């Protein structure tokens, strides 16, 4: 494969003035790695007599600090940097760059081959291969792979597998040589090669912005660095259009379905660093190429309109969802027609005898609405009886032999819905049987065979998923949407539940009365206090605790201790299965990222001889609690989706894969080059916890998360707990969270479209 060097190195790859020392050695262990900054602390076994720094000829391990993202244990590295002396830790090598090199000694080769770098070779087989061929094994694999069959225990199939894996590694290394010159990490280089194969270098050189669309893990910013290095001008139309699409995508990640054109241009100016006059005309080009959709929308309380710019999936989903809801509501034929003439007094008396409790007036209204109107929305806070209302609706529908289907966005929520109704429930994704690529088996042309569809935790359903779900409801069937509108909106784009309520065109019941038994729960009472802008009672309930800690770093250590030691000791809860840390944000000393490092060290520490795999700044071990970071429709029986959690149950360094058992009790396999889809989940952000419920929740509240301290964020975190809430942090941060209302609404037009079609 021809490899031509890039015209110029990007600024961040420039030589450092202190680039005077070289250290060659084998990466033995990574003791710390920060996925946010790339900062790594590692132990390296130096090669004897190499490098220009003061390396002794002993076999003592050298401490290396710097950015080593992508380097794997067992690899031979050539590190460039300088020797320094740390006051506490002594002499260490500060690396600013590295390249991988093939080891030369038998010991190094044995370590390299046995590290899991080459698929099909584990430690035992590496030992046999080196024992048989000695230091010449690398040349054998390279030039005479057919001779590998001479190694005891190596059959023909395995030999072919090793040959192919070695050839792929060589090709990837060649691509890496080029990509390292344009600022691309090793892990991303692997993904680029997997996508484009022998066309990798050509694609990177000629169409760098394609990477942001085609390769998971590469965004506009990475593609932009590459584009600059291969000579694409900053004001080129290709770059500006890619920047506009990226700006809209970032807005969607923040929950917006569209951006007003002025806001889009202003954001793109900041990202691209080019004048607005050069950006504005290209919005029309983007629309002409069907990469965006523009539409005039009304401005609330004003005569003028605004020009909205959408990415096409969100425009079509929003418009289609409004149409589907209105069609359902207006359907002439009803599949629950018997409830139009039911004697409700008798029905509720039968229900009370069956359940042992009477419905409150608001609950009774909701039950009637769900069974007589084809679309109904039920909202309310904790302890207000939503669950019992849903159970009552299901009981009455089943008494009339109706076909009832229950769904929720997450596996945990679906399990809870099944438990409270005694009726099978599924995730929305499984219910719709999403196929590879994301298209559902059930849709408008092949609707669900159900008379009543009940969806719980609707607040976390985004506009894309809501559209797929509603289109799959059969004409004449009833749809009951249940959720707490005061919680955070969905992680994905849209504010579906809020928009359906504020439109004023759909039947809605809001439950507000807290039932007497719920008034004994500190979780329920304090959730309502926070939602009303009042300080929670911190010492009045046995299920609600406060630990004061004014220093952010100390709070992080305190949270780790609470989860790993105090809660298990006092309540007998399993720290991984039953306890969830919910952080206001990901970054920072008390953010989910750093808390995951602390909790992994406490709960799943390094064990000598136990398999582990590093990917970027994360290291995965058997027993780790993990979460899926993106929708992957090609995994599992019906896809694996953003927010799905599970536990690592197995790992094979030889086969380059690990296994995760999800909360839906499904075993999912991940190749090592797919590990960027996983993150640790000992701690997650409160946003990512939506739709889930945990026996115990621990929430750090520190002033370092000041911008995220909002009322609906804290309210959502508290309402995720079933048995226990622990808050830890500063009273100043708690007060800020209670008094600060959520920031501005998202840019959505679902409510407008519902009113338009009513």
């Amino acid at each position: 494969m021809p490899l031509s060097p890039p015209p110029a190195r990007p600024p961040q790859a420039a030589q450092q003035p202190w680039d005077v020392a070289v250290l060659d050695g084998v990466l033995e262990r990574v003791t710390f790695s920060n996925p946010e900054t790339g900062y790594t602390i590692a132990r390296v076994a130096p090669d004897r007599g190499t490098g220009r720094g003061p390396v002794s000829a002993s076999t003592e391990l050298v401490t290396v600090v710097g950015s080593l993202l992508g380097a794997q244990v067992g690899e031979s590295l050539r590190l460039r940097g300088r020797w320094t002396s740390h006051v506490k830790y002594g002499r260490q090598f500060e690396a600013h760059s590295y390249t991988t090199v093939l080891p030369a000694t038998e010991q190094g080769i044995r370590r390299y081959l046995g590290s899991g770098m080459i698929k099909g070779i584990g430690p035992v087989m590496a030992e046999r291969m080196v024992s048989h061929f000695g230091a010449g094994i690398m040349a054998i694999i390279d030039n005479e792979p057919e001779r590998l069959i001479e190694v005891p225990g190596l059959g023909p199939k395995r030999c072919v597998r090793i040959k192919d894996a070695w050839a792929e590694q060589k090709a990837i290394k060649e691509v890496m040589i080029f990509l390292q010159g344009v600022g691309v990490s090793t892990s991303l280089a692997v993904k680029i090669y997997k996508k484009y194969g022998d066309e990798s270098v050509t694609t990177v050189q000629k169409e760098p912005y394609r990477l942001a669309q085609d390769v998971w893990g590469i965004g506009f910013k990475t593609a932009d660095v590459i584009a600059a290095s291969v000579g694409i001008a900053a004001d080129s139309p290709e770059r500006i259009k890619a920047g506009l699409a990226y700006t809209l995508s970032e807005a969607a990640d923040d929950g917006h379905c569209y951006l007003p054109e002025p806001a889009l241009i202003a954001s793109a100016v900041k990202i691209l660093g080019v004048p607005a006059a050069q950006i504005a005309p290209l919005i029309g080009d983007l629309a002409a190429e069907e990469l965006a959709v523009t539409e005039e929308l009304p401005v609330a309380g004003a005569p003028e309109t605004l020009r909205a710019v959408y990415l096409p999936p969100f425009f079509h989903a929003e418009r289609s969802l409004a149409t589907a809801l209105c069609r359902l509501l207006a359907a002439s034929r009803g599949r629950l027609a018997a409830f139009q003439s039911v004697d409700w007094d008798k029905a509720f008396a039968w229900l009370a005898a069956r359940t042992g409790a009477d419905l409150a007036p608001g609950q009774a209204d909701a039950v009637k609405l769900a069974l007589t109107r084809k679309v109904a929305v039920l909202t309310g806070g904790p302890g207000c009886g939503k669950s019992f209302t849903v159970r009552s609706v299901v009981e009455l529908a089943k008494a009339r032999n109706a076909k009832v289907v229950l769904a929720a966005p997450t596996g945990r929520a679906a399990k809870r819905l099944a438990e409270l109704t005694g009726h099978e429930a599924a995730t929305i994704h499984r219910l719709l049987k999403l196929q590879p690529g994301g298209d559902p088996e059930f849709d408008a042309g092949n609707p669900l065979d159900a008379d009543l569809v009940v969806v719980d935790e609707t607040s976390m359903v985004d506009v894309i998923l809501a559209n797929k779900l509603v289109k799959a409801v059969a004409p004449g069937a009833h749809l009951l949407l249940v959720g707490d509108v005061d919680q955070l909106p969905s992680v994905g784009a849209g504010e579906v539940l809020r928009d359906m309520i504020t439109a004023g065109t759909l039947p809605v019941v809001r439950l507000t009365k807290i039932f007497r038994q719920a008034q004994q729960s500190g979780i329920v009472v304090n959730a309502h206090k926070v939602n009303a802008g009042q300080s929670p009672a911190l010492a009045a309930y046995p299920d609600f605790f406060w630990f004061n800690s004014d220093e952010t770093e100390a709070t992080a250590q305190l949270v780790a201790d609470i989860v790993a030691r105090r809660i298990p000791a006092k309540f007998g809860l399993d720290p991984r299965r039953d306890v969830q840390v919910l952080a206001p944000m990901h970054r920072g000393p008390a953010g989910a990222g750093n808390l995951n490092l602390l909790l992994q060290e406490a709960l799943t520490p390094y064990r000598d001889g136990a398999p582990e795999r590093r990917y970027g700044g994360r290291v995965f071990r058997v027993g780790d609690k993990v979460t899926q970071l993106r929708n992957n429709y090609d995994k599992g029986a019906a896809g694996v989706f953003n927010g799905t959690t599970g536990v690592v149950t197995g790992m094979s360094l030889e086969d380059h894969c690990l296994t995760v058992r999800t909360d839906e009790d499904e075993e999912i396999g991940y190749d090592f080059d797919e590990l960027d889809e996983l993150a640790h989940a000992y701690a997650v952000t409160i946003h990512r916890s939506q739709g889930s419920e945990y026996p115990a929740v621990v929430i750090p509240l520190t002033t370092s998360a000041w911008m995220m301290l909002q009322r609906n964020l804290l309210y959502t975190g508290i309402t995720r707990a079933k048995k226990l809430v622990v808050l830890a942090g500063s009273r100043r941060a708690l007060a800020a969270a209670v008094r600060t209302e959520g920031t501005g609404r998202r840019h959505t037009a679902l409510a407008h479209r519902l009113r338009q079609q009513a």
Side-chain angles (χ1 to χ4, degrees):
M1 184 190 306
L3 292 175
S4 56
R9 293 171 67 91
Q12 60 267 41
Q15 294 283 72
Q16 300 294 331
W18 39 265
D19 183 14
V20 295
V22 174
L23 171 65
D24 288 345
V26 176
L27 181 60
E28 291 289 331
R29 172 131 192 260
V30 175
T31 56
F32 172 81
S33 184
N34 187 324
E36 305 294 336
T37 64
Y39 181 78
T40 302
I41 302 174
R43 302 282 281 166
V44 169
D47 289 347
R48 293 173 183 265
T50 60
R52 296 195 300 275
V55 181
S56 70
S58 73
T59 57
E60 289 184 4
L61 297 182
V62 173
T63 298
V64 175
V65 298
S67 180
L68 297 181
L69 288 184
Q72 297 294 335
V73 171
E75 283 189 308
S76 290
L77 305 178
R78 171 154 292 172
L79 300 145
R80 291 176 174 82
R82 63 176 178 177
W83 290 95
T84 63
S85 183
H86 191 278
V87 174
K88 183 176 180 181
Y89 300 108
R91 182 169 291 279
Q92 55 191 26
F93 191 83
E94 187 176 327
H96 74 73
S97 67
Y98 77 91
T99 54
T100 57
V101 294
L102 292 177
T105 65
E106 284 194 16
Q107 181 180 357
I109 292 169
R110 189 180 292 110
R111 182 83 168 90
Y112 175 75
L113 291 178
S115 68
M117 288 299 300
I118 309 301
K119 201 168 187 177
I121 305 176
V124 173
M125 188 53 63
E127 180 71 39
R128 290 180 188 172
M129 292 167 73
V130 175
S131 296
H132 189 81
F133 288 111
I137 180 60
M138 306 295 264
I140 295 293
I141 300 174
D142 221 7
N143 304 313
E144 302 177 89
E146 65 278 359
R147 289 190 59 194
L148 290 175
I149 201 163
E150 298 174 20
V151 177
L154 261 184
K157 287 185 179 178
R158 201 169 184 190
C159 287
V160 171
R161 187 177 167 201
I162 291 170
K163 173 188 172 184
D164 292 344
W166 182 260
E168 183 176 87
Q169 280 290 322
K170 279 186 67 180
I172 290 172
K173 292 288 184 187
E174 289 181 326
V175 173
M176 284 178 185
I177 292 169
F178 170 79
L179 293 176
Q180 282 177 347
V182 295
V184 178
S185 71
T186 304
S187 56
L188 291 182
V190 172
K191 298 184 80 66
I192 290 170
Y193 180 80
K194 293 282 188 184
K195 179 67 179 178
Y196 302 116
D198 291 343
E199 299 299 314
S200 296
V201 172
T202 301
T203 303
V204 169
Q205 287 177 320
K206 295 184 177 179
E207 301 178 272
Y209 292 108
R210 268 187 65 190
L211 304 179
Q213 301 171 22
D214 294 349
V215 183
W216 160 251
I218 295 183
F220 171 79
K221 291 181 179 179
T222 301
D224 202 36
V225 170
I226 297 170
S229 73
V230 298
I232 293 178
D235 60 353
S236 71
E238 179 187 3
R239 177 174 184 262
I240 292 173
K241 285 188 288 186
L244 284 166
Y246 168 72
T247 304
L248 289 172
S249 178
E250 286 286 285
D253 288 345
D254 289 337
H256 301 294
C257 290
Y258 69 85
L259 281 180
E261 189 176 65
L264 171 60
I265 293 171
S267 295
V269 166
K270 293 178 183 177
I271 289 168
L272 294 167
V274 299
Q278 290 181 279
I279 294 173
L282 291 173
I283 294 175
D285 291 356
L286 209 63
E289 295 170 20
E290 298 185 349
L291 298 175
V293 178
T294 61
E295 184 184 28
E296 295 295 323
L297 292 175
V299 177
E304 68 266 18
T305 62
L306 64 83
R307 193 183 192 205
V309 186
Y310 285 83
L311 288 175
F314 302 107
F315 172 78
H316 296 302
E318 195 176 71
R319 190 171 62 168
S320 175
L321 174 57
T323 300
L325 284 167
C326 291
R327 278 183 187 158
L328 276 181
L329 194 59
S332 56
R333 186 176 64 88
R335 297 179 66 155
L336 295 177
F339 286 100
Q340 299 297 331
S341 57
V342 76
D343 184 328
W344 287 106
D345 289 338
K346 286 185 178 179
F348 288 149
W350 174 87
L351 187 64
R354 186 170 178 83
T355 62
D358 290 317
L359 290 167
Q363 292 175 307
D365 290 342
V367 170
K368 290 178 186 177
L369 208 62
L371 296 172
T372 59
R373 300 295 299 273
K374 296 182 184 69
V375 178
V377 178
L378 172 63
T379 189
C384 292
K386 292 195 308 294
S387 296
F388 185 68
T389 304
V390 170
R391 179 186 168 190
S392 300
V393 170
V394 172
E395 290 282 0
L396 287 171
K398 286 167 66 177
R400 292 281 181 161
N401 297 317
K403 294 178 180 177
V404 179
V405 166
L406 306 180
T410 67
R412 282 177 179 265
K415 280 183 180 178
R416 187 177 70 248
L417 185 58
E419 290 166 1
L420 74 90
T421 61
H423 188 83
E424 184 181 351
T427 63
I428 297 172
H429 303 96
R430 287 185 179 275
L431 175 67
L432 299 179
K433 293 188 176 179
L434 296 187
Q435 308 299 305
D439 292 327
E441 181 178 318
F442 293 104
D443 55 17
N446 180 35
L448 296 163
D449 182 19
D451 303 317
L452 170 65
V453 177
V454 179
V455 183
D456 198 12
E457 295 285 0
T458 308
S459 63
M460 74 166 293
V461 180
D462 61 55
V463 69
I464 300 287
L465 185 58
N467 177 48
K468 291 177 179 177
L469 171 68
V470 175
K471 285 200 298 186
V473 179
H478 287 228
L479 174 64
L480 174 60
L481 299 161
V482 185
D484 185 347
V485 73
D486 292 323
Q487 288 183 17
L488 291 169
S490 56
V491 174
E495 278 189 299
V496 173
L497 182 62
R498 183 177 297 279
D499 283 349
M500 288 191 298
I501 292 171
T502 57
T505 61
L506 300 176
V508 176
V509 171
R510 179 162 192 157
L511 302 177
T512 57
K513 179 185 175 184
I514 305 176
F515 284 87
R516 185 184 308 162
Q517 61 270 31
Q519 292 174 8
Q520 310 306 310
S521 164
I523 297 171
V524 171
V525 172
N526 283 331
H528 283 276
K529 279 179 172 288
V530 168
N531 200 34
Q534 301 170 10
S535 296
L538 299 178
Y541 298 94
D543 60 351
F544 202 99
F545 292 83
W546 167 259
F547 287 85
N548 197 72
S549 175
D550 291 328
E551 297 297 326
T552 301
E553 289 80 2
T555 300
Q557 295 290 343
L558 174 61
V559 165
D561 186 54
I562 289 169
V563 173
R565 187 177 64 83
R566 300 192 195 192
I567 289 178
K570 184 173 178 64
F571 297 99
L573 297 175
D574 183 278
R576 272 178 292 197
R577 185 185 63 242
D578 300 328
V579 185
Q580 184 62 57
V581 176
L582 301 180
M585 61 191 296
H586 184 79
R587 295 178 183 272
N594 189 53
L595 286 168
N596 271 315
L597 296 175
L598 295 175
L599 288 163
Q600 184 190 40
E601 191 58 34
L603 299 173
T604 319
Y606 169 79
R607 288 187 295 115
D608 193 29
E612 62 176 41
R613 180 67 177 185
R614 182 167 295 279
Y615 194 101
R618 306 184 184 108
V619 58
F620 294 94
R621 300 174 183 139
V622 174
D624 272 339
K625 188 176 182 178
V626 293
T627 184
Q628 175 79 10
L629 294 178
R630 72 168 183 128
N631 292 345
N632 187 331
Y633 300 100
D634 299 322
K635 282 195 173 294
V640 184
F641 302 96
N642 186 2
T644 299
T645 57
V647 173
V648 178
T649 53
M651 182 180 298
S652 171
L653 298 180
E654 185 173 313
D655 294 328
H656 281 211
C657 66
L658 59 77
T659 305
V660 174
R661 175 167 286 278
T662 71
D663 282 342
E664 298 176 57
D665 294 324
E666 184 177 13
E667 293 278 357
I668 304 291
Y670 290 83
D671 289 339
F672 283 166
D673 59 15
E674 298 176 311
L675 293 183
D676 60 342
E677 295 188 18
L678 291 178
H680 294 99
Y682 301 100
V684 299
T685 62
I686 295 173
H687 265 102
R688 291 191 68 82
S689 74
Q690 290 169 268
S692 294
E693 194 175 63
Y694 314 94
V697 159
V698 180
I699 304 174
L701 294 170
T702 67
T703 53
S704 66
W706 196 259
M707 296 301 294
M708 295 299 295
L709 296 175
Q710 296 167 10
R711 190 179 302 164
N712 61 347
L713 190 87
L714 180 56
Y715 173 76
T716 300
I718 292 171
T719 57
R720 299 305 85 209
K722 289 192 290 187
K723 299 178 180 178
L724 176 69
V725 167
V726 178
L727 306 182
S730 76
R731 292 184 181 273
R732 184 166 170 244
L734 173 62
V738 171
R739 71 170 178 265
T740 307
E741 292 193 54
T743 52
R745 294 286 304 279
R746 295 178 169 188
H747 293 300
T748 69
L750 178 60
H752 160 68
R753 298 184 195 283
L754 287 169
R755 293 188 199 105
Q756 238 185 356
Q757 297 189 34

